[in-house]
Amino acid sequence: DAKTTQPNSMESNEEEPVHLPCNHSTISGTDYIHWYRQLPSQGPEYVIHGLTSNVNNRMASLAIAEDRKSSTLILHRATLRDAAVYYCILRDRGSTLGRLYFGRGTQLTVWP
Amino acid sequence: DAGVTQSPTHLIKTRGQQVTLRCSPKSGHDTVSWYQQALGQGPQFIFQYYEEEERQRGNFPDRFSGHQFPNYSSELNVNALLLGDSALYLCASSLMPQQNSYEQYFGPGTRLTVT
């Protein structure tokens, strides 16, 4: 399974943008890049996913490097509710199975 | 629309005992996956059920078993509990096939403590 590398922790001030990096140098051409986050005392929740092009949704933006060996999750204006562990996950586009491979993720702290 | 629900919320068991955890998937979902999350770690995949059959299994011993019912709900059973089984057990639901289904919905988990 392709692996991802993320910093253990990051900090941000409220209402500032946050850029969460993820390295996936062994990514294959059929791997989607998924991001999930886990708020305290909750299960993980889906944030965003992409394949090659940058993606935007109501929660965040995903910027994917041209060679796809890295990506960045962008929170445009961090709020206290964004404090969570963020997981970058690769998932084979051809897989019909739902298995997700979680690493340890990045613990995001947001300061008021 | 109810999301994924799990019961119980917390559970304390003694080594050697058996435990059953329950999960109801999000309305309209037919696939249930179970994950184990130790403290400070990311969730680890245990197995996945679809059409009442185990479809994929992670690196967990046979002490971990499961079941899916016709209404798509699921149970996770763990026999001969060890101290190392203490963890948060997460249930996730989704739709099969999943090539075009990118999102899994997770429940809040069951916190199991083995003493």
Side-chain angles (χ1 to χ4, degrees):
Chain A
D1 306 307
K3 295 192 180 299
T4 63
T5 304
Q6 300 177 252
N8 290 333
S9 62
M10 293 187 65
E11 298 183 356
S12 175
N13 294 318
E14 202 173 10
E15 298 190 2
E16 290 185 353
V18 180
H19 291 231
L20 297 166
C22 180
N23 288 319
H24 28 78
S25 58
T26 60
I27 190 171
S28 75
T30 58
D31 284 333
Y32 275 107
I33 303 161
H34 290 247
W35 284 81
Y36 280 73
R37 72 179 184 180
Q38 188 171 19
L39 280 65
S41 301
Q42 295 187 27
E45 64 173 346
Y46 167 84
V47 177
I48 200 167
H49 82 288
L51 186 62
T52 56
S53 303
N54 294 344
V55 184
N56 300 294
N57 67 18
R58 64 176 180 82
M59 291 181 68
S61 296
L62 176 59
I64 301 172
E66 192 170 341
D67 63 6
R68 302 212 323 128
K69 293 185 176 182
S70 65
S71 61
T72 302
L73 180 70
I74 302 167
L75 307 179
H76 295 285
R77 291 184 63 192
T79 70
L80 297 178
R81 291 174 297 173
D82 291 322
V85 178
Y86 286 78
Y87 298 99
C88 171
I89 300 168
L90 300 183
R91 181 157 174 263
D92 188 346
R93 176 175 58 178
S95 172
T96 60
L97 301 172
R99 180 175 185 170
L100 295 175
Y101 295 88
F102 289 85
R104 299 186 68 170
T106 297
Q107 174 69 61
L108 175 65
T109 300
V110 181
W111 299 103
Chain B
D1 178 23
V4 179
T5 59
Q6 294 186 243
S7 63
T9 305
H10 296 87
L11 202 54
I12 300 175
K13 290 286 188 177
T14 304
R15 276 178 297 176
Q17 287 188 317
Q18 179 265 343
V19 69
T20 297
L21 310 181
R22 295 175 175 82
C23 171
S24 291
K26 179 179 170 62
S27 177
H29 283 182
D30 57 9
T31 303
V32 172
S33 302
W34 287 92
Y35 292 80
Q36 179 196 65
Q37 186 174 25
L39 202 61
Q41 305 293 320
Q44 299 301 304
F45 178 80
I46 302 175
F47 43 54
Q48 182 184 71
Y49 277 84
Y50 171 65
E51 292 186 331
E52 302 179 46
E53 291 187 8
E54 183 182 295
R55 299 291 178 165
Q56 192 179 24
R57 188 179 184 91
N59 188 26
F60 279 81
D62 292 343
R63 298 187 297 109
F64 289 77
S65 63
H67 189 77
Q68 185 179 34
F69 300 94
N71 67 353
Y72 308 120
S73 67
S74 177
E75 288 182 349
L76 165 65
N77 301 293
V78 186
N79 295 323
L81 284 167
L82 304 174
L83 294 179
D85 295 332
S86 295
L88 180 68
Y89 288 85
L90 295 160
C91 171
S93 75
S94 55
L95 284 169
M96 185 75 81
Q98 298 188 8
Q99 300 99 320
N100 298 320
S101 172
Y102 47 79
E103 185 172 354
Q104 289 197 15
Y105 291 80
F106 284 81
T110 294
R111 173 69 64 186
L112 173 64
T113 301
V114 182
T115 63

